[in-house]
Amino acid sequence: MRTVLVTGTGGAGRTTVAAATALAAAREGRRALLLTADRDGTPEALLGLPTPRPATATSAERLPWSPPVEAAPGMWAARIAADDWFRGELTSLQERGSGALDMLGATPLDPEELTGLPGTEAFAVLRALRAVHDADPAAAGWDVLVVDMPPAPDTVAVLALPEQLRRYLRRLLPAERQAARALRPMLAQLAGVPMPAQKLYETAERWARELAGVQALIESEATTVRLVVDPGPLADRALRTARAGLALYGCRVEAVVANRLLPTGTADPWLAALSGQQQAALKELHGEWAPDVPVRELPHLGRDPLEATSPRDPDAPRDPDAPRDPDAPQDAAGPGGVPQPGGLAALVAPVGAPEPRPDRPAAEPWTVEDRLADDGELVWRLPLPGADRDALGLVRRGDELIVTVGPFHRVLPLPSALRRCTVSGAGLRDGRLHVRFAPDPELWPRSL
């Protein structure tokens, strides 16, 4: 299954581009599912769909989104039910940890009084990604999954969560501690208090498996990112930060979408000034991203792509091709204010297989270059396009290297050869971070 994560700068039209991307995939003959965590009803208004009904806690644990609704032939849309999923997960966790809660004298919370906490949406998005890929192909059969993600900084934080949480679990519940679970009954007798229940360890193991599965999806060749931007003076800087953060976590950007481009050559001086500003920012985008990453240009629709009328009756018949015909001249703006992501569907890049990158192997993009013969050192190359030299930070901690890029940082385990070396220097050249390692004479194998 192809997975396309659509993010970008705030207010740049991510939801519109995500809907157009899913619709374009459907027009290619693929079964596309559009997932969004948007709570304000924009996707429903954009596609002319009814507001989804809230899910129950039990169903949210099984299916972390509202039932998909067909928005066009071959395209379905669903909203991620973050609060409902959170209630289901916390209720289930209370049941598994009932022994520990009784030991502490805690009173479990009822599902009706539970509300979503800050950060719930991030976990719900990750759970939805895994659930879609784990769904029965015979029942769902999705070919393309398009996810309307939060703004770029929040998206990078969401995509970094699986690896970070797996590391926390390994530190808090190491394997050797879990191996001693058989001793808990004896320890409980010696201590005189009940020990944590088996279900708590099972829950931690289940979380670790879920996180590993989600991380594998994020790092998969079939998962790519599309960045949406409204070209302007601040767009280039915001995208550079997002690009560096995505590269730090191994996420591949397949396209940059320059949205809401105004027409050029107008006689109106006010409109000409805005258009000229956009074109200058667009030139910077092409210079920053091309030719590695294509920059797609989408015109301004002439209005906000939202319905001016009330949403359609969900039981009323509809002709999905009539308002979404890409050849019809009214498709971009829409008759009567009807939302038209379909007009952009003919312009967005098709959802195909990720293009191979011979200069950076996808399976192992971060390589170690052997320069022992010439310079007496090993060089670890980390592709970080868009990174700013002044915002870079490196810290060696045991067998790990902590890399900081602006507001993002990642803890990288060192390859086995580099663990027997000391860091001798680092430099950023051509969008790649080169970290130099010198063999430690006390640890490096001596030659025969």
Side-chain angles (χ1 to χ4, degrees):
M1 183 192 303
R2 280 284 280 113
T3 301
V4 181
L5 309 178
V6 181
T7 182
T9 56
R14 301 185 313 276
T15 301
T16 304
V17 174
T21 301
L23 187 56
R27 289 177 174 175
E28 294 174 348
R30 305 184 181 187
R31 289 170 56 88
L33 173 63
L34 171 66
L35 276 184
T36 178
D38 198 302
R39 298 189 181 190
D40 60 7
T42 300
E44 289 79 18
L46 184 68
L47 298 170
L49 299 176
T51 301
R53 299 176 181 177
T56 62
T58 303
S59 64
E61 184 182 6
R62 238 181 10 253
L63 193 70
W65 60 80
S66 60
V69 179
E70 188 173 8
M75 172 190 169
W76 282 259
R79 183 193 296 177
I80 297 174
D83 290 345
D84 300 317
W85 171 82
F86 173 77
R87 281 193 290 268
E89 283 292 304
L90 191 54
T91 301
S92 177
L93 180 61
Q94 287 185 146
E95 294 174 355
R96 293 187 178 95
S98 57
L101 293 176
D102 293 340
M103 180 181 68
L104 297 174
T107 303
L109 298 169
D110 296 327
E112 293 77 13
E113 61 179 317
L114 295 175
T115 58
L117 299 177
T120 300
E121 287 187 4
F123 291 97
V125 168
L126 296 176
R127 182 66 185 91
L129 278 173
R130 179 70 188 273
V132 172
H133 282 263
D134 288 349
D136 183 7
W142 311 115
D143 301 312
V144 175
L145 170 63
V146 181
V147 187
D148 177 21
M149 299 291 289
D154 298 333
T155 293
V156 176
V158 169
L159 299 180
L161 266 179
E163 182 179 85
Q164 293 172 344
L165 294 180
R166 289 181 67 196
R167 185 173 180 273
Y168 296 160
L169 285 176
R170 287 194 299 268
R171 295 289 296 272
L172 297 175
L173 292 173
E176 56 271 16
R177 186 178 299 179
Q178 297 186 37
R181 286 177 294 179
L183 302 176
R184 281 201 315 276
M186 181 181 66
L187 295 176
Q189 293 180 0
L190 294 176
V193 295
M195 301 300 290
Q198 170 76 14
K199 291 183 178 180
L200 288 179
Y201 289 93
E202 294 175 350
T203 299
E205 292 174 358
R206 180 173 63 91
W207 285 349
R209 290 194 301 270
E210 291 285 341
L211 292 170
V214 175
Q215 185 177 349
L217 292 176
I218 294 173
E219 297 175 351
S220 169
E221 281 299 298
T223 301
T224 54
V225 178
R226 292 190 178 186
L227 288 173
V228 185
V229 60
D230 191 350
L234 302 179
D236 186 59
R237 180 178 179 83
L239 283 191
R240 280 201 306 269
T241 303
R243 185 182 191 183
L246 291 170
L248 180 63
Y249 287 97
C251 302
R252 285 162 291 281
V253 179
E254 68 168 12
V256 174
V257 180
N259 195 23
R260 299 173 181 163
L261 292 178
L262 298 171
T264 58
T266 177
D268 188 327
W270 183 80
L271 186 59
L274 290 179
S275 176
Q277 188 179 63
Q278 279 191 339
Q279 291 301 314
L282 187 62
K283 183 178 180 180
E284 292 184 5
L285 286 178
H286 281 280
E288 177 76 20
W289 293 83
D292 292 341
V293 179
V295 178
R296 310 290 181 180
E297 302 178 13
L298 297 184
H300 200 292
L301 298 180
R303 66 177 73 187
D304 289 335
L306 293 175
E307 281 185 328
T309 59
S310 60
R312 65 178 179 86
D313 182 359
D315 298 325
R318 60 178 292 199
D319 181 4
D321 293 327
R324 293 183 169 90
D325 182 3
D327 299 325
Q330 76 273 14
D331 195 36
V338 176
Q340 295 302 328
L344 298 178
L347 302 176
V348 297
V351 180
E355 297 181 2
R357 295 290 306 279
D359 58 328
R360 296 179 191 173
E364 192 178 355
W366 298 352
T367 57
V368 177
E369 182 181 358
D370 186 352
R371 293 184 183 175
L372 291 175
D374 299 331
D375 303 325
E377 61 183 13
L378 300 173
V379 180
W380 197 14
R381 290 194 236 177
L382 310 179
L384 293 177
D388 187 354
R389 189 186 306 272
D390 296 332
L392 273 176
L394 289 175
V395 176
R396 169 77 180 268
R397 181 183 178 276
D399 291 339
E400 298 174 329
L401 186 68
I402 304 175
V403 183
T404 300
V405 182
F408 314 110
H409 75 277
R410 184 180 183 183
V411 180
L412 299 172
L414 291 174
S416 58
L418 302 183
R419 296 175 186 176
R420 301 189 296 270
C421 302
T422 58
V423 178
S424 59
L428 182 66
R429 297 190 301 273
D430 300 327
R432 293 184 181 182
L433 176 63
H434 298 252
V435 187
R436 302 189 302 276
F437 291 81
D440 188 340
E442 299 296 328
L443 301 176
W444 195 259
R446 299 179 184 275
S447 62
L448 297 178

